Amino acid sequence: MEIFGIPIQAMMGQLLIGLINGSFYALLSLGLAVIFGLLNIINFAHGAQYMLGAFGAYLLLNKLGLGYWWSLLIVPLVVGATGVVIERTMLSRLYKLDHLYGLLLTFGLALIIQGLFRNEYGSTGLPYSMPEQLQGGVNLGFMFLPIYRGWVIIASLVVCLATWYVIERTKLGGYLRAATENPQIVQAFGINVPRMITLTYGFGVALAALAGVMAAPIYQVSPQMGADLIIVVFAVVVIGGMGSIMGAIVTGFGLGLIEGLTKVFYPEASTTVIFIIMTIVLLIRPAGLFGTQK
Amino acid sequence: MKPATQDAARTHRMAFVVMALLFIGAPLVGVYPVFMMKVMCFALFACAFNLLLGFGGLLSFGHAMFLGSAGYVTAHAAKVWGLTPELSIAVGTLCAAALGWVVGKLAIRRQGIYLTMITLALAQMVFFFALQAPFTGGEDGIQAVPRGKLFGLIDLSSTNAMYAFVLAIFLGGFLLIYRIIHSPYGQVLKAIRENEPRTISLGYDADKFKHRAFVLSAALAGLAGGTKSLVFQLASLTDVHWSMSGEVVLMTLVGGLGTIFGPVLGAAVMVTMQNYLAELGAWVTVVQGGIFVVCVLLFRRGIVGEIGHLLKKSL
């Protein structure tokens, strides 16, 4: 069976890869959107924190013998905790200043984290084997689906939608959204806004780490793994509309798919297609697809 | 002219003379000339960047695209088209200006952090273009770029001639930026940085001013990039990669944002660090990151900014 002269197997394979990449774009841009929404900081360390997640899983397995499922639980908590420390000791001093200082600080942090890991582990990737329960695959008739990949897509969809639900549909999310509009008034209602901001940053960082753990068995664990991905994720965030939760999720998955399709029909453009889309979107809607012009 | 501005102008003149003498004298006292030329190229790059951020308040996180693309075009013009060095650099600079025109048009539609992200993403597009376009040589870059004969007369393969050429470009570019900053245009730019709505209400077309600043900054960054590719006889992906955009921010921040001489000192500090700490490998990244964090948290004025603050003078 063929579609536009491309065998359906190959086509589905690329679409699957696109969907997998899309899951990571969505998870990472979701974390960025959550952090940007409340802290107004572009978290340039997000890629490094994603890398920390992957290394966390690697280290737990090789030093402590704890497997994938433990990593999935422990690593986001630990990395998220480092995020809390960073917010308390550094970022919180910058809120009164121009936003660019937050970006510069997190950029500096990213350089430090990546440099330290490169010193320790070199630039070559380290392998991480997938958990036994998720090995193998199923034949869907038109294509072969490795179980782990299916798991990543479903898990990230669930996490994304749960986050969206909490922020847009619950009381806690209501406080969060109110605090982005007017922190003083929310504070006056007796809500501890600084603590909420700290925990939000921790949560955003934990999301990046979670993505890192899920990425470890698919991509190689290497100090640079976040550095190049983060630029693409920034483009996803710009296209979706900065700070928009739904925008981050939809454009994350959507752009992953478009990238996969481009790989089938015009491979040369597959790395640039996201940036081309970004330019077009900006020309038509400067605030992004789901953003609101402030 | 009021005495205060006269005083400031005198300080600037003195500082400029000291800076020029340092650059002229450095190779005479045995500093490696190619190293000094690298410092001058990056200093011009940082000054061009500072024109946009320090005086226009626009943080571009994609300035490497102007440095890098001008480098490629200059190298291509010199090597394949066989143009003389001054023409090759002119072509490279023009290309960077044209790119700056387009990027500026897109970017100034949004403000603050949004503008930063847009420039970053557009720069990444340029990076992938440089990686895949047939004339850039992909991972290898354009190598063995001939330095050629200046105006068809002066052979630039001699280090001394090249040094004088780069020095002239750097000092010329620096003076041009100084002139721009102190012109009525520069004053309006500063006014937009401080309070955009108010400047607009005074009747200035803020977007037009910002866009011009973008083009000027891009062109001067291109001038630096073109010169750099002739100095090293190489145009490569390093100069278009986004980490270069980060480095120029760091140079400007270390030297002093919005100061006139800060970016030059910042560039000198960073290039020196990279050259002499090279054997430490990835530790250089860690040190750079540390400097970033310390600068942002503790001394946001940068070195020259702090000195100027102590002396109560704007440098």
Side-chain angles (χ1 to χ4, degrees):
Chain A
M1 211 161 48
E2 286 188 353
I3 299 174
F4 303 124
I6 310 270
I8 194 164
Q9 295 279 348
M11 172 103 153
M12 286 300 165
Q14 285 300 340
L15 280 185
L16 179 65
I17 293 176
L19 209 51
I20 296 270
N21 289 336
S23 320
F24 292 112
Y25 296 162
L27 272 179
L28 291 174
S29 56
L30 177 65
L32 278 177
V34 169
I35 292 173
F36 182 78
L38 197 58
L39 285 77
N40 253 318
I41 278 179
I42 287 291
N43 186 30
F44 221 109
H46 217 66
Q49 282 151 345
Y50 160 81
M51 179 270 286
L52 279 181
F55 263 99
Y58 176 83
L59 290 176
L60 279 187
L61 184 68
N62 289 293
K63 303 273 181 207
L64 300 175
L66 291 174
Y68 180 79
W69 301 106
W70 282 109
S71 299
L72 219 46
L73 184 72
I74 298 172
V75 172
L77 285 177
V78 173
V79 180
T82 65
V84 166
V85 174
I86 289 170
E87 200 281 336
R88 276 293 80 205
T89 54
M90 299 179 199
L91 286 175
S92 58
R93 296 158 189 262
L94 300 177
Y95 296 138
K96 289 194 186 80
L97 302 168
D98 195 322
H99 300 328
L100 76 92
Y101 287 107
L103 182 141
L104 295 180
L105 181 89
T106 47
F107 178 60
L109 287 174
L111 288 182
I112 296 176
I113 299 170
Q114 277 157 6
L116 285 176
F117 273 80
R118 207 159 67 235
N119 278 320
E120 194 63 32
Y121 298 97
S123 321
T124 43
L126 306 162
Y128 183 89
S129 54
M130 47 187 80
E132 275 171 35
Q133 298 92 325
L134 298 177
Q135 279 170 6
V138 281
N139 197 343
L140 298 178
F142 57 91
M143 68 172 295
F144 180 80
L145 174 74
I147 292 178
Y148 186 79
R149 307 205 160 201
W151 149 254
V152 166
I153 294 169
I154 290 167
S156 60
L157 252 182
V158 169
V159 172
C160 284
L161 292 178
T163 309
W164 174 82
Y165 183 82
V166 169
I167 291 179
E168 301 287 339
R169 290 285 181 274
T170 65
K171 205 168 174 184
L172 175 68
Y175 291 152
L176 278 172
R177 282 178 289 129
T180 58
E181 293 293 326
N182 194 333
Q184 278 84 18
I185 289 187
V186 177
Q187 187 114 33
F189 279 114
I191 292 156
N192 191 339
V193 173
R195 189 199 289 155
M196 206 157 75
I197 289 179
T198 309
L199 291 179
T200 305
Y201 187 74
F203 176 72
V205 173
L207 272 180
L210 179 72
V213 177
M214 295 211 284
I218 299 182
Y219 308 113
Q220 296 242 300
V221 179
S222 95
Q224 287 303 313
M225 64 190 290
D228 294 317
L229 183 64
I230 191 71
I231 310 289
V232 179
V233 174
F234 279 159
V236 170
V237 174
V238 170
I239 297 170
M242 243 176 280
S244 159
I245 305 290
M246 208 27 141
I249 302 170
V250 173
T251 41
F253 280 100
L255 286 171
L257 276 178
I258 291 176
E259 208 182 33
L261 275 179
T262 319
K263 239 174 234 155
V264 179
F265 292 107
Y266 190 59
E268 291 83 4
S270 60
T271 40
T272 26
V273 68
I274 287 186
F275 301 106
I276 295 169
I277 292 176
M278 189 200 76
T279 314
I280 297 169
V281 168
L282 286 174
L283 279 171
I284 302 164
R285 278 185 67 96
L289 293 177
F290 293 78
T292 42
Q293 185 97 44
K294 275 187 189 167
Chain B
M1 202 187 260
K2 274 181 274 169
T5 40
Q6 230 165 20
D7 184 45
R10 202 165 56 226
T11 321
H12 291 159
R13 256 201 307 276
M14 272 165 55
F16 179 78
V17 170
V18 171
M19 182 183 80
L21 284 178
L22 279 176
F23 278 108
I24 295 168
L28 301 176
V29 295
V31 183
Y32 187 46
V34 177
F35 167 75
M36 286 308 288
M37 288 194 264
K38 188 176 176 186
V39 171
M40 286 190 281
C41 290
F42 278 114
L44 182 57
F45 182 35
C47 286
F49 174 79
N50 187 40
L51 174 65
L52 196 60
L53 175 61
F55 296 94
L58 306 170
L59 172 59
S60 149
F61 218 100
H63 245 51
M65 68 179 139
F66 306 121
L67 181 84
S69 54
Y72 276 118
V73 173
T74 303
H76 187 76
K79 192 176 176 181
V80 180
W81 297 340
L83 293 184
T84 53
E86 74 283 358
L87 282 179
S88 310
I89 292 179
V91 175
T93 309
L94 273 178
C95 273
L99 186 62
W101 195 91
V102 177
V103 172
K105 269 280 175 233
L106 279 169
I108 57 164
R109 287 154 62 97
R110 299 308 311 273
Q111 304 218 317
I113 215 89
Y114 298 86
L115 179 138
T116 307
M117 305 285 289
I118 291 162
T119 49
L120 177 63
L122 289 173
Q124 202 61 6
M125 213 156 104
V126 173
F127 173 78
F128 284 119
F129 178 78
L131 186 66
Q132 290 172 339
F135 85 97
T136 55
E139 304 271 350
D140 302 326
I142 304 178
Q143 298 176 354
V145 179
R147 281 182 182 170
K149 287 193 166 148
L150 188 62
F151 307 117
L153 296 170
I154 308 158
D155 190 359
L156 289 182
S157 53
S158 120
T159 309
N160 286 341
M162 191 68 203
Y163 193 87
F165 181 51
V166 176
L167 185 68
I169 289 180
F170 164 65
L171 293 180
F174 183 88
L175 286 175
L176 180 64
I177 291 172
Y178 184 83
R179 206 49 253 150
I180 294 170
I181 293 167
H182 290 87
S183 69
Y185 166 78
Q187 299 301 320
V188 177
L189 201 59
K190 272 188 252 181
I192 293 172
R193 177 191 67 188
E194 296 303 330
N195 191 337
E196 185 167 340
R198 186 156 179 194
T199 320
I200 294 172
S201 78
L202 287 173
Y204 293 104
D205 184 347
D207 278 357
K208 202 157 93 189
F209 277 85
K210 287 198 281 190
H211 186 235
R212 278 188 198 152
F214 216 99
V215 177
L216 281 170
S217 175
L220 285 159
L223 180 63
T227 314
K228 184 170 175 285
S229 72
L230 286 190
V231 170
F232 289 96
Q233 305 187 284
L234 170 76
S236 71
L237 284 174
T238 344
D239 287 353
V240 260
H241 195 254
W242 65 267
S243 54
M244 181 60 81
S245 301
E247 253 165 59
V248 75
V249 185
L250 186 51
M251 286 173 188
T252 315
L253 197 64
V254 167
L257 206 60
T259 62
I260 298 159
F261 293 93
V264 180
L265 186 65
V269 169
M270 294 306 295
V271 174
T272 312
M273 227 175 71
Q274 279 162 3
N275 266 35
Y276 292 96
L277 299 182
E279 64 247 49
L280 292 177
W283 283 110
V284 178
T285 327
V286 180
V287 174
Q288 277 184 356
I291 294 177
F292 242 114
V293 171
V294 171
C295 276
V296 172
L297 285 178
L298 299 177
F299 71 159
R300 281 181 280 273
R301 288 194 194 100
I303 303 171
V304 172
E306 292 288 346
I307 295 172
H309 185 67
L310 284 177
L311 299 176
K312 295 195 172 61
K313 286 195 165 110
S314 85
L315 288 170

